[in-house]
Amino acid sequence: MSAHDVVVVGAGLAGLQAQAGSVSSANAKTWIGEWTLTMQGGRGPMERALTIKDAAGKVAATMGGGRGAPIEIADVSMKGTDLVLKFKQMGRGGE
């Protein structure tokens, strides 16, 4: 990883709520913006849009849902200089 990485951790769906994380937008200025992630799926690599924005002074993130609805990422934290986004999503095989 470089000095500034976005770490995205995902698993199966478990009632996500759209809300800003606990990371101050001022501490995550490097990350605010539009990103394209390449993720390994069941049918190979798939590109997903990731939006990281300021929501009343806190970091909020939304990932394009591929074939489903967008995913609001509520669990946003920092580990050193890395921005960590954790979410859950249901796949074809369940979680």
Side-chain angles (χ1 to χ4, degrees):
M1 288 192 221
S2 68
H4 300 286
D5 290 310
V6 173
V7 179
V8 179
V9 179
L13 182 64
L16 296 176
Q17 294 183 349
Q19 61 185 8
S22 61
V23 175
S24 165
S25 296
N27 293 335
K29 286 190 253 183
T30 302
W31 305 113
I32 304 295
E34 302 286 328
W35 300 85
T36 301
L37 303 177
T38 301
M39 304 175 80
Q40 186 62 38
R43 297 181 181 173
M46 176 175 49
E47 288 191 349
R48 307 267 301 263
L50 174 65
T51 302
I52 300 174
K53 61 187 174 187
D54 177 349
K58 300 291 183 184
V59 173
T62 305
M63 184 173 351
R67 294 183 181 200
I71 300 164
E72 299 293 333
I73 301 174
D75 189 345
V76 179
S77 62
M78 291 199 72
K79 184 175 183 180
T81 58
D82 295 342
L83 184 66
V84 180
L85 310 174
K86 294 182 182 178
F87 68 96
K88 297 183 180 197
Q89 178 180 3
M90 185 66 75
R92 286 184 290 153
E95 291 189 358

